């Protein structure tokens, strides 16, 4: 599962200053300094911009972790910051990152130290709304697999709380009620680890992330959220995300056309993942943080021993392709 750290962080923002339209020089300078330090990876330097209350509320180590893992690890470097408005004493900047767009709000003390900070990721308004797939799909595995998270409610599928990954699946293999046998600290003891991940349809490879080490089960890598990743484009607005693949296992490259059933990599435990599994999602953009999730139906499945057609699997289903 992709465990996302919250990117919304606010401290002491309600300072009650009057509304203004113009960017003040001290704010322009603070925003420019913040951007420079952030892109240099100098999160200690960002901490030094805080006033005493901010430093107490977000200590040095927390500041470093927040920006290195929750911001830079997810969104990349800042390309530009553009002032948009002022509200409740905070200046708002529309900020373009490598992999996302966000609004950053900064509030300064009388001594021009940062006394409040808020970052809110946005989604582009021009992406088409995708309800479900029109492309016929098969499961990305040749064997019976288990749906750990799946469905259209938060009770069935914790991904529903996040629009970016809503309707996504976490897929395991289970035997006798367990996903592994033996020592739970070894990836190779998990039934799904190293299994072939196949293309659910004819598609084009539009994104590949590789070189991410598989985690020791129970540990997380929030700096590389999706780990080793493949994104396939099935149609103009249908993109399939395969996350947490095994290190060194990806067999495709960007621009390559793949056929339904072709092996694209092996199931692994890389990125922000607690144990070997496949995170599979349908989205309306190739970039995870810019997209909105959609419902992913499969053409013909054996579901808990029963034939289902055009089916959306739900939590605790055992599912298998029918040839």
């Amino acid at each position: 599962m992709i465990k996302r750290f919250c990117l919304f962080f606010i401290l002491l923002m309600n300072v009650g200053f009057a509304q203004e339209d113009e960017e003040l020089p001290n704010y322009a300078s603070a925003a420019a300094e913040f951007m420079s330090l952030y892109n240099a990876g100098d999160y200690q330097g960002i901490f030094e911009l805080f006033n005493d209350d901010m430093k107490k509320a977000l200590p040095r180590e927390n500041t470093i972790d927040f920006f290195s893992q929750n911001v830079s690890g997810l969104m990349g470097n800042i390309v530009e910051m553009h002032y948009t408005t002022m509200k409740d004493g905070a200046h708002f900047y529309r900020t373009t990152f490598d992999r996302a767009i966000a609004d950053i709000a900064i509030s300064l003390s009388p001594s021009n130290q940062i006394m409040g900070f808020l970052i809110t990721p946005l989604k582009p308004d021009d992406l088409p709304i995708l309800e479900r797939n029109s492309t016929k799909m098969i499961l990305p595995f040749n064997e019976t697999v288990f749906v750990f998270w799946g469905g259209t409610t938060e009770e069935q599928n914790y991904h529903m709380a996040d629009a970016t990954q809503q309707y996504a699946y976490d897929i395991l293999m289970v035997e006798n009620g367990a996903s592994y046998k033996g020592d739970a600290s070894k990836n190779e003891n998990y039934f799904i680890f190293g299994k072939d991940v196949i293309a659910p349809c004819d598609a084009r490879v539009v994104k590949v992330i590789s070189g991410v080490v598989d985690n020791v089960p129970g540990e997380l890598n929030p700096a590389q959220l999706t780990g080793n990743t493949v994104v396939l484009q099935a149609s103009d607005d249908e993109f399939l995300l395969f996350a947490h693949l095994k290190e060194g296992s990806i067999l495709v490259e960007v621009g390559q056309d793949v056929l339904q059933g072709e092996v694209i990599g092996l199931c692994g435990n890389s990125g922000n993942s607690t144990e070997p599994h496949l995170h599979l999602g349908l989205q309306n953009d190739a970039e995870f943080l810019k997209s909105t999730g959609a419902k992913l139906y499969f053409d013909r499945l054996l579901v808990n021993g029963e034939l289902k057609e055009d089916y959306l699997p739900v939590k605790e289903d055992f599912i298998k392709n029918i040839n």
Side-chain angles (χ1 to χ4, degrees), residues 25-60:
N26 57 333
Y27 275 87
S29 177
E33 187 172 9
F34 167 79
M35 176 176 169
S36 177
L37 292 169
Y38 174 83
N39 283 343
D42 187 359
Y43 311 124
Q44 164 74 28
I46 293 176
F47 176 78
E48 296 303 330
L49 299 180
F50 294 167
N51 72 349
D52 289 342
D53 288 332
M54 276 285 290
K55 287 179 177 177
K56 290 177 183 177
L58 193 67
R60 180 181 289 102

mmCIF file of all heavy atoms in Angstrom, residues 25-60:
data_model
loop_
_atom_site.group_PDB
_atom_site.id
_atom_site.type_symbol
_atom_site.label_atom_id
_atom_site.label_comp_id
_atom_site.label_asym_id
_atom_site.label_seq_id
_atom_site.Cartn_x
_atom_site.Cartn_y
_atom_site.Cartn_z
ATOM 1 N N PRO A 25 7.665 43.455 -0.027
ATOM 2 C CA PRO A 25 9.065 43.109 -0.309
ATOM 3 C C PRO A 25 9.651 42.086 0.662
ATOM 4 O O PRO A 25 10.435 41.224 0.255
ATOM 5 C CB PRO A 25 9.785 44.460 -0.212
ATOM 6 C CG PRO A 25 8.729 45.463 -0.522
ATOM 7 C CD PRO A 25 7.461 44.913 0.062
ATOM 8 N N ASN A 26 9.282 42.187 1.941
ATOM 9 C CA ASN A 26 9.840 41.236 2.898
ATOM 10 C C ASN A 26 9.332 39.814 2.632
ATOM 11 O O ASN A 26 10.057 38.832 2.830
ATOM 12 C CB ASN A 26 9.537 41.663 4.335
ATOM 13 C CG ASN A 26 8.059 41.836 4.622
ATOM 14 O OD1 ASN A 26 7.280 42.123 3.723
ATOM 15 N ND2 ASN A 26 7.660 41.671 5.877
ATOM 16 N N TYR A 27 8.107 39.709 2.150
ATOM 17 C CA TYR A 27 7.580 38.381 1.801
ATOM 18 C C TYR A 27 8.234 37.848 0.533
ATOM 19 O O TYR A 27 8.531 36.655 0.426
ATOM 20 C CB TYR A 27 6.059 38.442 1.641
ATOM 21 C CG TYR A 27 5.328 38.297 2.957
ATOM 22 C CD1 TYR A 27 5.076 39.411 3.758
ATOM 23 C CD2 TYR A 27 4.911 37.056 3.409
ATOM 24 C CE1 TYR A 27 4.421 39.292 4.962
ATOM 25 C CE2 TYR A 27 4.247 36.921 4.626
ATOM 26 C CZ TYR A 27 4.004 38.040 5.401
ATOM 27 O OH TYR A 27 3.367 37.905 6.606
ATOM 28 N N ALA A 28 8.437 38.708 -0.449
ATOM 29 C CA ALA A 28 9.110 38.286 -1.676
ATOM 30 C C ALA A 28 10.502 37.760 -1.362
ATOM 31 O O ALA A 28 10.936 36.735 -1.903
ATOM 32 C CB ALA A 28 9.187 39.446 -2.665
ATOM 33 N N SER A 29 11.191 38.453 -0.461
ATOM 34 C CA SER A 29 12.531 38.027 -0.070
ATOM 35 C C SER A 29 12.490 36.693 0.678
ATOM 36 O O SER A 29 13.306 35.799 0.435
ATOM 37 C CB SER A 29 13.182 39.095 0.804
ATOM 38 O OG SER A 29 14.450 38.685 1.257
ATOM 39 N N ALA A 30 11.499 36.546 1.585
ATOM 40 C CA ALA A 30 11.380 35.308 2.363
ATOM 41 C C ALA A 30 11.058 34.124 1.456
ATOM 42 O O ALA A 30 11.604 33.026 1.615
ATOM 43 C CB ALA A 30 10.320 35.464 3.437
ATOM 44 N N ALA A 31 10.157 34.333 0.488
ATOM 45 C CA ALA A 31 9.780 33.257 -0.435
ATOM 46 C C ALA A 31 10.977 32.851 -1.284
ATOM 47 O O ALA A 31 11.213 31.655 -1.514
ATOM 48 C CB ALA A 31 8.619 33.701 -1.316
ATOM 49 N N ALA A 32 11.731 33.831 -1.766
ATOM 50 C CA ALA A 32 12.904 33.530 -2.586
ATOM 51 C C ALA A 32 13.959 32.766 -1.783
ATOM 52 O O ALA A 32 14.583 31.823 -2.289
ATOM 53 C CB ALA A 32 13.496 34.818 -3.155
ATOM 54 N N GLU A 33 14.162 33.164 -0.521
ATOM 55 C CA GLU A 33 15.143 32.480 0.320
ATOM 56 C C GLU A 33 14.683 31.058 0.629
ATOM 57 O O GLU A 33 15.483 30.115 0.600
ATOM 58 C CB GLU A 33 15.377 33.255 1.606
ATOM 59 C CG GLU A 33 16.507 32.677 2.457
ATOM 60 C CD GLU A 33 16.869 33.551 3.635
ATOM 61 O OE1 GLU A 33 16.139 34.535 3.905
ATOM 62 O OE2 GLU A 33 17.883 33.257 4.289
ATOM 63 N N PHE A 34 13.391 30.904 0.922
ATOM 64 C CA PHE A 34 12.853 29.568 1.171
ATOM 65 C C PHE A 34 13.069 28.667 -0.039
ATOM 66 O O PHE A 34 13.546 27.530 0.082
ATOM 67 C CB PHE A 34 11.362 29.640 1.499
ATOM 68 C CG PHE A 34 10.680 28.316 1.470
ATOM 69 C CD1 PHE A 34 10.791 27.428 2.535
ATOM 70 C CD2 PHE A 34 9.946 27.924 0.355
ATOM 71 C CE1 PHE A 34 10.187 26.173 2.496
ATOM 72 C CE2 PHE A 34 9.331 26.673 0.314
ATOM 73 C CZ PHE A 34 9.456 25.807 1.382
ATOM 74 N N MET A 35 12.748 29.147 -1.232
ATOM 75 C CA MET A 35 12.898 28.350 -2.448
ATOM 76 C C MET A 35 14.351 27.953 -2.672
ATOM 77 O O MET A 35 14.662 26.810 -3.013
ATOM 78 C CB MET A 35 12.375 29.134 -3.650
ATOM 79 C CG MET A 35 12.560 28.437 -4.987
ATOM 80 S SD MET A 35 11.805 29.387 -6.345
ATOM 81 C CE MET A 35 12.483 28.509 -7.770
ATOM 82 N N SER A 36 15.273 28.906 -2.454
ATOM 83 C CA SER A 36 16.696 28.629 -2.645
ATOM 84 C C SER A 36 17.192 27.556 -1.679
ATOM 85 O O SER A 36 17.890 26.609 -2.072
ATOM 86 C CB SER A 36 17.506 29.914 -2.469
ATOM 87 O OG SER A 36 18.890 29.652 -2.584
ATOM 88 N N LEU A 37 16.837 27.679 -0.407
ATOM 89 C CA LEU A 37 17.251 26.694 0.591
ATOM 90 C C LEU A 37 16.622 25.330 0.321
ATOM 91 O O LEU A 37 17.289 24.292 0.423
ATOM 92 C CB LEU A 37 16.870 27.178 1.986
ATOM 93 C CG LEU A 37 17.614 28.398 2.521
ATOM 94 C CD1 LEU A 37 16.940 28.925 3.789
ATOM 95 C CD2 LEU A 37 19.083 28.061 2.787
ATOM 96 N N TYR A 38 15.354 25.338 -0.034
ATOM 97 C CA TYR A 38 14.658 24.077 -0.302
ATOM 98 C C TYR A 38 15.298 23.323 -1.464
ATOM 99 O O TYR A 38 15.585 22.125 -1.375
ATOM 100 C CB TYR A 38 13.183 24.358 -0.591
ATOM 101 C CG TYR A 38 12.413 23.139 -1.026
ATOM 102 C CD1 TYR A 38 11.895 22.242 -0.104
ATOM 103 C CD2 TYR A 38 12.227 22.872 -2.389
ATOM 104 C CE1 TYR A 38 11.202 21.111 -0.508
ATOM 105 C CE2 TYR A 38 11.542 21.746 -2.803
ATOM 106 C CZ TYR A 38 11.036 20.861 -1.863
ATOM 107 O OH TYR A 38 10.365 19.739 -2.276
ATOM 108 N N ASN A 39 15.542 24.015 -2.574
ATOM 109 C CA ASN A 39 16.123 23.355 -3.744
ATOM 110 C C ASN A 39 17.554 22.899 -3.513
ATOM 111 O O ASN A 39 18.035 21.968 -4.170
ATOM 112 C CB ASN A 39 16.050 24.271 -4.965
ATOM 113 C CG ASN A 39 14.658 24.324 -5.572
ATOM 114 O OD1 ASN A 39 13.819 23.475 -5.296
ATOM 115 N ND2 ASN A 39 14.410 25.330 -6.402
ATOM 116 N N ALA A 40 18.235 23.552 -2.560
ATOM 117 C CA ALA A 40 19.597 23.136 -2.208
ATOM 118 C C ALA A 40 19.592 21.981 -1.209
ATOM 119 O O ALA A 40 20.664 21.457 -0.861
ATOM 120 C CB ALA A 40 20.372 24.317 -1.647
ATOM 121 N N GLY A 41 18.406 21.591 -0.748
ATOM 122 C CA GLY A 41 18.325 20.536 0.263
ATOM 123 C C GLY A 41 18.782 20.993 1.634
ATOM 124 O O GLY A 41 19.088 20.168 2.497
ATOM 125 N N ASP A 42 18.809 22.307 1.857
ATOM 126 C CA ASP A 42 19.269 22.856 3.136
ATOM 127 C C ASP A 42 18.068 23.061 4.057
ATOM 128 O O ASP A 42 17.606 24.181 4.278
ATOM 129 C CB ASP A 42 19.996 24.181 2.894
ATOM 130 C CG ASP A 42 20.643 24.723 4.165
ATOM 131 O OD1 ASP A 42 20.508 24.085 5.231
ATOM 132 O OD2 ASP A 42 21.268 25.803 4.083
ATOM 133 N N TYR A 43 17.531 21.973 4.591
ATOM 134 C CA TYR A 43 16.352 22.045 5.443
ATOM 135 C C TYR A 43 16.698 22.594 6.825
ATOM 136 O O TYR A 43 15.840 23.161 7.499
ATOM 137 C CB TYR A 43 15.696 20.671 5.529
ATOM 138 C CG TYR A 43 15.490 20.041 4.166
ATOM 139 C CD1 TYR A 43 16.002 18.783 3.861
ATOM 140 C CD2 TYR A 43 14.813 20.740 3.165
ATOM 141 C CE1 TYR A 43 15.823 18.225 2.611
ATOM 142 C CE2 TYR A 43 14.646 20.190 1.902
ATOM 143 C CZ TYR A 43 15.155 18.933 1.634
ATOM 144 O OH TYR A 43 14.999 18.385 0.384
ATOM 145 N N GLN A 44 17.954 22.442 7.229
ATOM 146 C CA GLN A 44 18.435 23.101 8.438
ATOM 147 C C GLN A 44 18.328 24.619 8.252
ATOM 148 O O GLN A 44 17.917 25.342 9.164
ATOM 149 C CB GLN A 44 19.888 22.702 8.702
ATOM 150 C CG GLN A 44 20.650 23.576 9.687
ATOM 151 C CD GLN A 44 20.243 23.342 11.130
ATOM 152 O OE1 GLN A 44 19.810 22.249 11.469
ATOM 153 N NE2 GLN A 44 20.395 24.367 11.959
ATOM 154 N N GLY A 45 18.673 25.096 7.063
ATOM 155 C CA GLY A 45 18.560 26.524 6.777
ATOM 156 C C GLY A 45 17.128 27.003 6.843
ATOM 157 O O GLY A 45 16.858 28.114 7.312
ATOM 158 N N ILE A 46 16.177 26.184 6.372
ATOM 159 C CA ILE A 46 14.760 26.544 6.475
ATOM 160 C C ILE A 46 14.357 26.650 7.935
ATOM 161 O O ILE A 46 13.647 27.582 8.335
ATOM 162 C CB ILE A 46 13.883 25.518 5.736
ATOM 163 C CG1 ILE A 46 14.139 25.591 4.225
ATOM 164 C CG2 ILE A 46 12.408 25.745 6.047
ATOM 165 C CD1 ILE A 46 13.401 24.558 3.411
ATOM 166 N N PHE A 47 14.834 25.718 8.752
ATOM 167 C CA PHE A 47 14.532 25.755 10.185
ATOM 168 C C PHE A 47 15.001 27.068 10.802
ATOM 169 O O PHE A 47 14.319 27.641 11.661
ATOM 170 C CB PHE A 47 15.193 24.571 10.885
ATOM 171 C CG PHE A 47 15.016 24.561 12.376
ATOM 172 C CD1 PHE A 47 13.824 24.149 12.951
ATOM 173 C CD2 PHE A 47 16.055 24.973 13.208
ATOM 174 C CE1 PHE A 47 13.661 24.151 14.334
ATOM 175 C CE2 PHE A 47 15.899 24.974 14.583
ATOM 176 C CZ PHE A 47 14.695 24.561 15.154
ATOM 177 N N GLU A 48 16.140 27.577 10.369
ATOM 178 C CA GLU A 48 16.672 28.820 10.920
ATOM 179 C C GLU A 48 15.843 30.037 10.512
ATOM 180 O O GLU A 48 15.995 31.109 11.094
ATOM 181 C CB GLU A 48 18.135 29.005 10.492
ATOM 182 C CG GLU A 48 19.080 27.935 11.029
ATOM 183 C CD GLU A 48 19.068 27.824 12.555
ATOM 184 O OE1 GLU A 48 18.816 28.849 13.223
ATOM 185 O OE2 GLU A 48 19.298 26.704 13.061
ATOM 186 N N LEU A 49 14.972 29.891 9.516
ATOM 187 C CA LEU A 49 14.082 30.988 9.133
ATOM 188 C C LEU A 49 12.892 31.114 10.076
ATOM 189 O O LEU A 49 12.198 32.129 10.072
ATOM 190 C CB LEU A 49 13.555 30.773 7.704
ATOM 191 C CG LEU A 49 14.566 30.725 6.561
ATOM 192 C CD1 LEU A 49 13.840 30.495 5.236
ATOM 193 C CD2 LEU A 49 15.388 32.004 6.495
ATOM 194 N N PHE A 50 12.650 30.072 10.891
ATOM 195 C CA PHE A 50 11.481 30.060 11.777
ATOM 196 C C PHE A 50 11.683 30.971 12.984
ATOM 197 O O PHE A 50 12.813 31.159 13.451
ATOM 198 C CB PHE A 50 11.217 28.651 12.294
ATOM 199 C CG PHE A 50 10.804 27.657 11.243
ATOM 200 C CD1 PHE A 50 10.805 26.295 11.536
ATOM 201 C CD2 PHE A 50 10.399 28.053 9.979
ATOM 202 C CE1 PHE A 50 10.419 25.362 10.591
ATOM 203 C CE2 PHE A 50 10.015 27.125 9.014
ATOM 204 C CZ PHE A 50 10.023 25.774 9.334
ATOM 205 N N ASN A 51 10.568 31.485 13.526
ATOM 206 C CA ASN A 51 10.650 32.174 14.806
ATOM 207 C C ASN A 51 10.637 31.136 15.936
ATOM 208 O O ASN A 51 10.529 29.926 15.691
ATOM 209 C CB ASN A 51 9.519 33.204 14.953
ATOM 210 C CG ASN A 51 8.154 32.569 15.168
ATOM 211 O OD1 ASN A 51 7.971 31.367 15.026
ATOM 212 N ND2 ASN A 51 7.176 33.404 15.499
ATOM 213 N N ASP A 52 10.746 31.573 17.163
ATOM 214 C CA ASP A 52 10.892 30.643 18.290
ATOM 215 C C ASP A 52 9.684 29.726 18.436
ATOM 216 O O ASP A 52 9.831 28.539 18.741
ATOM 217 C CB ASP A 52 11.122 31.418 19.588
ATOM 218 C CG ASP A 52 12.494 32.062 19.654
ATOM 219 O OD1 ASP A 52 13.381 31.638 18.874
ATOM 220 O OD2 ASP A 52 12.687 32.990 20.476
ATOM 221 N N ASP A 53 8.477 30.262 18.234
ATOM 222 C CA ASP A 53 7.281 29.430 18.362
ATOM 223 C C ASP A 53 7.248 28.325 17.303
ATOM 224 O O ASP A 53 6.868 27.185 17.595
ATOM 225 C CB ASP A 53 6.018 30.292 18.254
ATOM 226 C CG ASP A 53 5.806 31.150 19.490
ATOM 227 O OD1 ASP A 53 6.251 30.741 20.576
ATOM 228 O OD2 ASP A 53 5.189 32.230 19.364
ATOM 229 N N MET A 54 7.633 28.660 16.079
ATOM 230 C CA MET A 54 7.681 27.645 15.025
ATOM 231 C C MET A 54 8.727 26.585 15.341
ATOM 232 O O MET A 54 8.520 25.390 15.119
ATOM 233 C CB MET A 54 7.989 28.303 13.679
ATOM 234 C CG MET A 54 6.782 28.864 12.963
ATOM 235 S SD MET A 54 5.738 27.591 12.189
ATOM 236 C CE MET A 54 6.789 27.043 10.834
ATOM 237 N N LYS A 55 9.872 27.029 15.853
ATOM 238 C CA LYS A 55 10.934 26.075 16.169
ATOM 239 C C LYS A 55 10.502 25.117 17.278
ATOM 240 O O LYS A 55 10.874 23.937 17.268
ATOM 241 C CB LYS A 55 12.203 26.820 16.578
ATOM 242 C CG LYS A 55 12.917 27.502 15.417
ATOM 243 C CD LYS A 55 14.166 28.249 15.882
ATOM 244 C CE LYS A 55 14.903 28.853 14.707
ATOM 245 N NZ LYS A 55 16.093 29.650 15.134
ATOM 246 N N LYS A 56 9.716 25.620 18.221
ATOM 247 C CA LYS A 56 9.228 24.745 19.286
ATOM 248 C C LYS A 56 8.182 23.763 18.748
ATOM 249 O O LYS A 56 8.157 22.595 19.119
ATOM 250 C CB LYS A 56 8.628 25.583 20.411
ATOM 251 C CG LYS A 56 9.648 26.372 21.223
ATOM 252 C CD LYS A 56 8.953 27.239 22.268
ATOM 253 C CE LYS A 56 9.961 28.081 23.036
ATOM 254 N NZ LYS A 56 9.293 28.988 24.018
ATOM 255 N N ALA A 57 7.314 24.270 17.870
ATOM 256 C CA ALA A 57 6.245 23.433 17.335
ATOM 257 C C ALA A 57 6.761 22.418 16.327
ATOM 258 O O ALA A 57 6.226 21.314 16.226
ATOM 259 C CB ALA A 57 5.177 24.302 16.693
ATOM 260 N N LEU A 58 7.796 22.780 15.586
ATOM 261 C CA LEU A 58 8.378 21.887 14.584
ATOM 262 C C LEU A 58 9.895 21.862 14.780
ATOM 263 O O LEU A 58 10.627 22.585 14.112
ATOM 264 C CB LEU A 58 8.021 22.370 13.173
ATOM 265 C CG LEU A 58 8.301 21.383 12.036
ATOM 266 C CD1 LEU A 58 7.388 20.163 12.151
ATOM 267 C CD2 LEU A 58 8.093 22.046 10.680
ATOM 268 N N PRO A 59 10.383 21.039 15.707
ATOM 269 C CA PRO A 59 11.819 20.993 16.001
ATOM 270 C C PRO A 59 12.665 20.656 14.772
ATOM 271 O O PRO A 59 12.140 20.201 13.747
ATOM 272 C CB PRO A 59 11.916 19.893 17.058
ATOM 273 C CG PRO A 59 10.563 19.848 17.694
ATOM 274 C CD PRO A 59 9.600 20.152 16.583
ATOM 275 N N ARG A 60 13.949 20.886 14.919
ATOM 276 C CA ARG A 60 14.884 20.740 13.798
ATOM 277 C C ARG A 60 14.727 19.411 13.062
ATOM 278 O O ARG A 60 14.593 19.369 11.827
ATOM 279 C CB ARG A 60 16.322 20.904 14.297
ATOM 280 C CG ARG A 60 17.372 20.757 13.194
ATOM 281 C CD ARG A 60 18.784 20.905 13.732
ATOM 282 N NE ARG A 60 19.055 22.296 14.108
ATOM 283 C CZ ARG A 60 19.047 22.759 15.352
ATOM 284 N NH1 ARG A 60 18.774 21.951 16.374
ATOM 285 N NH2 ARG A 60 19.311 24.025 15.602
#
